[in-house]
Every structure is written in structure tokens, then in C-alpha cells.
Amino acid sequence: VAQRCLAALRADPRCARLPVLLSVPIEQLSLVERATGFDDFVLQPCTRLEVRARVRAILQRRQEQAQAQNGEPADGIVVDAVSHEVVVAGRTVRLTAREFTLFAYLRARRGRVLSREHLLTRVWGHRYRGGPRTVDTHMRRLREKLGPAAKHLDTVRGVGYRFVE
């Protein structure tokens, strides 16, 4: 149902560029990973602080997208939050929703080293129960998919990850 609503929203020219933040019960998380057309999501129950942080992140990504449309960034990477796509040197890279969110989060914080725990909290959400090594697995898959652009994903041993120019 949510997928049809999102598709209808994106099809309407008056609403096509509106940011969409989904609020999803944890039982339906697998459905979110297959859905498209939204900018971000939070797992229910969620706090106002988490919603506020996600909205800020969406707005920041939108600002970066607008800047990228005025001229391709120096790194040749365009992160399109509306279509949930990453384009590297003119080639669309197919990412899962989680990979996209992780990549966009790291890129929006260029140069800052982010710990696994920080990434788990911000990208996976406060209620994530898995271990911190899931970040390593997602980073490995991201690097495989990005090809030469993977050079921008830097590992800081014993600390975490960062996006570098």
C-alpha cells in the first residue's frame, strides 16, 4: 500500500519533489528495503530527536543534490535522494536502501571519521540489535558496487570509516 501511495505522490508534478520520511513498524523492515521513492525512514517507535535528525539529513541531502545539479561535483559522484540513486561518472550504481543511506550519510559528512556504533545508530536506527560488524559487511558491498569510486570510502583502523575527496 505504501509503495502505491509513494508512486502516486511522485507521479503528481506538484508533489514529486516533496521529501518523504516513512515511519515503519520494525516487523515491516524487510518491506522497506524493497520499497523505492522515499528519502529516508525511521523504525517505530521513534523519538522526536531521531525524526528531527532524519529530517535534517534529508534536507542536507536535498541541498547537496541542488548543488550537484548546478554542476557535477569534483568527485564525479551524484547522490540523488529523490530517486534513491547514486551515479558515478555517468553510471547508475544499484544500491539497496541501506547501502544508499550509508553511502549518503558518509558522503554528507566528508572527512569526518564515523565509528561503527555511530553509523549503526544513525543509519540503522536506535533499535537495531545486530552487531557492529554489519557495517563492515555493508562497506565491503558498497566498495564492490562503486568500483573505482570506492577509493572515497576510507577505513580508519580501530576507529571507523570516512568519505574522502
Side-chain angles (χ1 to χ4, degrees):
V1 174
Q3 187 66 39
R4 286 193 305 261
C5 291
L6 284 169
L9 184 70
R10 295 296 186 210
D12 184 341
R14 296 170 297 166
C15 303
R17 298 196 41 80
L18 285 176
V20 176
L21 177 69
L22 294 180
S23 175
V24 182
I26 195 160
E27 307 85 53
Q28 296 180 1
L29 180 60
S30 62
L31 297 175
V32 170
E33 292 180 347
R34 292 190 304 257
T36 59
F38 61 92
D39 294 284
D40 204 349
F41 69 95
V42 291
L43 292 175
Q44 295 172 359
C46 55
T47 65
R48 278 190 243 175
L49 289 174
E50 184 175 1
V51 171
R52 225 181 287 158
R54 298 286 180 152
V55 169
R56 272 193 222 112
I58 290 171
L59 295 176
Q60 184 175 0
R61 286 192 303 260
R62 288 289 177 104
Q63 183 179 10
E64 288 176 358
Q65 177 189 5
Q67 290 169 347
Q69 288 175 350
N70 294 333
E72 190 165 318
D75 60 13
I77 300 171
V78 176
V79 177
D80 187 344
V82 174
S83 64
H84 244 242
E85 290 181 336
V86 172
V87 179
V88 177
R91 179 183 62 93
T92 301
V93 180
R94 295 184 53 102
L95 301 176
T96 65
R98 186 78 65 199
E99 290 166 346
F100 175 85
T101 305
L102 176 61
F103 183 76
Y105 190 83
L106 283 165
R107 187 163 184 268
R109 288 148 188 82
R110 288 178 179 92
R112 290 178 49 194
V113 179
L114 304 170
S115 70
R116 289 178 185 88
E117 291 76 19
H118 177 89
L119 291 168
L120 282 172
T121 301
R122 300 295 184 193
V123 175
W124 277 259
H126 294 291
R127 302 222 179 268
Y128 180 73
R129 300 283 184 235
R133 292 297 179 182
T134 193
V135 177
D136 300 337
T137 302
H138 280 77
M139 290 298 289
R140 180 179 46 80
R141 288 183 184 148
L142 260 175
R143 286 179 171 132
E144 289 170 0
K145 292 180 178 184
L146 290 172
K151 68 182 180 193
H152 295 289
L153 298 177
D154 187 32
T155 301
V156 179
R157 293 191 72 121
V159 182
Y161 297 97
R162 70 178 160 203
F163 187 95
V164 295
E165 294 292 332

